[in-house]
Amino acid sequence: MKISVIKIDSFKIHEHHLEIIYSADKFQFSTKIFYHDVSFSGLIQKYSQPFIQKIVAHIALFEGMKFCSLFPAYYDISVIAEYLEPAVLDLFVKIYQGVFGQHWYENNITDYQQPEIITSQKLGISQPGEILGNNQTILAGCGGGKDSILAMKMLEEADIPFASMQYSHSFYGKADFQHHLISQVLECVQPTSKHRISIFDNFTEFPFLKLYFPENSGITAPETPVSIFESLILMLDKGYNYLCLAHEKSANTGNLFWDEIGKEVNHQWGKGLAAEQILDQFIQKHLLTNFKYFSILQPIYDYRIFQNFSKYPEFIPKIHSCNIQKPWCKKCPKCAYVWLGLMAFSQASIVNEVFKNNLFDDVDLLPTFREMVGLGEHTPFECIGEIEESRLLMKRCVERGLTGKALDMFTEEILADSRINWQEIEQKYNSVYSTEHAIPDWIFEKIKEQL
């Protein structure tokens, strides 16, 4: 079966949530985005109905990108066309091609660039507005993992006020459970406010793909880019000008170079500096002139993040990073990688208390660890560090006297190679890169000592 047209059928702004109806040929789906402390009637009164509809139209456009997992020929956006500017179509293609490289690779699709975007009416014009109020409080995203808690701790120690933004997605299970896990992390810091967004999406939640498209590798969504647009509602409502996420330097490197299409495939592309700058510039130019988006961890690699994180052993039992079964499934590349990084720097007894198993000794994870250190076709498609970074972490684990089959493999196949310049590798991954980021100068000056 092939899908010809994906379409935005309608969008509605309710008092506390947005409802967007999509169709993929004869199938229909809904995405509902709940803002726990936003009144849309108040927001419309403050800014105007057309302006808020314009922001919502951008959310609807990018939320619809997940349906491109079906490789449709067309994407019909007629219903929101009047609220969009022509430049957003270029942005859509850039984001799609950056995020979906892995999806093409997994499905061996080499001749599909993107759906043709169609409208039955002309697009609107670019008329940027501005966030009312001058709230210097930073809106900091919190996913509940090591990066976001470390980012917020850095802001706190630099005396920069911040509010937290957490969101749940039905793709990852029950909303209340996800919010509960993230709330445990937020107990470690003191945000000025705690904002919640809950997304319910029956395309990703239901067994639709498995039943109708069993040969398709799965659903891909531009999670970070779309969350940036969803955060704009909070920023307008509360008057925040700065949006801070916690993406590390490691996100800029792909998993492999795919010769068939002559491009790098990067699972984390949406978190990288290139995507960050494209989104930031687009929003400033076309939507909100006094908006700024940046990642506070962009100047450092994961190797240094795990090192800095080890100063806070009390965070270890509270964080979660698994995308399969929260807090930890202990069987996926993400769990294996976080275990590796924690064991390299943190107190082993506390990490053991959380994981209960020695993941280095798990036979099922051995192929994953091999891929991480460059002994597979490519690194695992997950948010993890570079090959040499994983090697460095594993070397530390060996030096700390830790044991397990994965470490035996590493000792025999990597550590035994005397040509490897470990000093050079450590210098790369343990440095602070003071220019390769988009952090506003006044913030960077206050936090650079903590990096």
Side-chain angles (χ1 to χ4, degrees):
M1 190 199 306
K2 279 196 167 177
I3 293 292
S4 175
V5 183
I6 55 170
K7 184 182 180 186
I8 303 173
D9 289 339
S10 66
F11 74 93
K12 277 191 194 134
I13 300 174
H14 298 277
E15 179 60 7
H16 300 293
H17 79 284
L18 307 173
E19 181 178 26
I20 311 156
I21 307 296
Y22 296 94
S23 56
D25 289 349
K26 61 189 176 189
F27 304 105
Q28 202 168 49
F29 305 93
S30 76
T31 300
K32 297 185 173 101
I33 305 158
F34 287 81
Y35 293 85
H36 293 232
D37 60 351
V38 170
S39 150
F40 275 99
S41 58
L43 198 57
I44 286 165
Q45 209 172 353
K46 190 174 171 184
Y47 288 95
S48 87
Q49 182 131 15
F51 187 66
I52 297 305
Q53 284 174 316
K54 181 186 175 85
I55 302 293
V56 173
H58 286 77
I59 294 171
L61 175 71
F62 285 95
E63 271 288 354
M65 195 184 281
K66 58 189 171 240
F67 297 100
C68 294
S69 302
L70 303 170
F71 303 107
Y74 302 99
Y75 183 12
D76 185 345
I77 60 164
S78 302
V79 75
I80 59 168
E82 66 184 290
Y83 304 109
L84 302 174
E85 58 293 296
V88 81
L89 302 189
D90 293 336
L91 178 71
F92 184 90
V93 170
K94 274 184 193 160
I95 299 290
Y96 170 77
Q97 294 187 344
V99 169
F100 274 71
Q102 177 188 337
H103 192 66
W104 296 342
Y105 180 79
E106 289 177 331
N107 293 280
N108 198 27
I109 300 287
T110 56
D111 55 356
Y112 181 86
Q113 288 295 300
Q114 76 265 344
E116 187 184 330
I117 298 178
I118 55 174
T119 64
S120 59
Q121 56 176 312
K122 280 177 73 172
L123 294 173
I125 54 166
S126 176
Q127 277 184 308
E130 63 175 44
I131 298 163
L132 298 178
N134 185 23
N135 191 340
Q136 292 297 295
T137 301
I138 313 272
L139 182 62
C142 179
K146 72 179 194 317
D147 301 326
S148 45
I149 182 64
L150 191 65
M152 290 186 293
K153 197 71 186 166
M154 284 166 61
L155 290 169
E156 190 168 87
E157 290 182 358
D159 287 326
I160 300 172
F162 67 94
S164 64
M165 171 183 71
Q166 63 190 76
Y167 89 100
S168 68
H169 198 293
S170 49
F171 185 66
Y172 300 126
K174 292 266 184 245
D176 286 350
F177 180 58
Q178 289 175 60
H179 283 302
H180 167 68
L181 286 176
I182 297 172
S183 297
Q184 287 182 323
V185 169
L186 289 171
E187 285 168 10
C188 303
V189 285
Q190 292 183 307
T192 56
S193 302
K194 296 176 183 178
H195 305 295
R196 291 186 177 194
I197 300 172
S198 301
I199 301 171
F200 297 86
D201 175 352
N202 62 15
F203 175 58
T204 55
E205 194 182 350
F206 292 176
F208 172 78
L209 204 73
K210 282 186 183 132
L211 294 174
Y212 290 95
F213 297 89
E215 71 291 346
N216 193 309
S217 68
I219 294 167
T220 294
E223 199 166 350
T224 299
V226 78
S227 71
I228 304 302
F229 286 101
E230 284 160 353
S231 72
L232 298 182
I233 296 293
L234 273 176
M235 298 181 77
L236 287 164
D237 191 47
K238 311 300 176 193
Y240 301 130
N241 297 99
Y242 296 95
L243 174 65
C244 167
L245 296 188
H247 301 144
E248 68 293 334
K249 197 168 184 57
S250 317
N252 299 320
T253 302
N255 302 78
L256 73 145
F257 187 86
W258 192 16
D259 292 326
E260 294 273 320
I261 61 167
K263 273 181 73 171
E264 188 178 58
V265 173
N266 183 359
H267 172 84
Q268 303 189 76
W269 186 87
K271 292 168 58 182
L273 184 59
E276 183 182 310
Q277 291 171 323
I278 292 166
L279 286 158
D280 180 51
Q281 286 156 17
F282 173 84
I283 292 169
Q284 284 184 34
K285 190 173 178 186
H286 300 288
L287 296 179
L288 302 167
T289 53
N290 56 348
F291 162 90
K292 179 66 190 165
Y293 158 49
F294 63 94
S295 164
I296 202 166
L297 297 181
Q298 189 59 238
I300 55 175
Y301 282 100
D302 250 343
Y303 182 77
R304 197 168 175 90
I305 291 170
F306 278 115
Q307 198 172 322
N308 292 351
F309 184 80
S310 67
K311 296 176 208 160
Y312 309 104
E314 68 276 16
F315 293 173
I316 295 170
K318 294 178 183 281
I319 62 166
H320 65 280
S321 269
C322 182
N323 294 322
I324 293 169
Q325 187 185 331
K326 295 184 181 299
W328 307 105
C329 74
K330 304 174 201 170
K331 286 289 181 186
C332 72
K334 190 67 180 285
C335 286
Y337 180 71
V338 175
W339 159 269
L340 169 63
L342 292 176
M343 289 307 263
F345 285 107
S346 293
Q347 257 172 274
S349 58
I350 302 176
V351 185
N352 281 323
E353 188 60 34
V354 170
F355 282 84
K356 305 276 192 262
N357 309 347
N358 178 1
L359 301 198
F360 291 139
D361 244 346
D362 188 324
V363 179
D364 296 340
L365 284 174
L366 203 51
T368 300
F369 283 119
R370 290 183 67 83
E371 288 174 350
M372 274 184 208
V373 295
L375 297 173
E377 281 183 35
H378 56 78
T379 51
F381 287 128
E382 248 306 349
C383 296
I384 66 169
E386 296 180 9
I387 288 169
E388 289 186 329
E389 193 169 9
S390 294
R391 289 180 175 187
L392 209 51
L393 291 169
M394 224 170 251
K395 180 173 176 278
R396 270 195 67 89
C397 290
V398 171
E399 287 165 354
R400 295 186 92 186
L402 301 171
T403 59
K405 293 182 178 67
L407 297 181
D408 294 342
M409 168 274 295
F410 173 74
T411 305
E412 287 164 29
E413 299 189 48
I414 306 290
L415 215 46
D417 186 345
S418 57
R419 294 166 302 173
I420 298 173
N421 186 336
W422 291 106
Q423 202 178 343
E424 202 175 90
I425 295 171
E426 179 148 14
Q427 195 177 354
K428 174 183 174 178
Y429 291 105
N430 205 19
S431 293
V432 176
Y433 293 81
S434 57
T435 54
E436 297 165 27
H437 63 79
I439 305 170
D441 291 343
W442 71 271
I443 297 174
F444 187 69
E445 280 308 307
K446 289 188 173 187
I447 60 108
K448 65 181 179 187
E449 295 304 315
Q450 298 168 50
L451 287 164

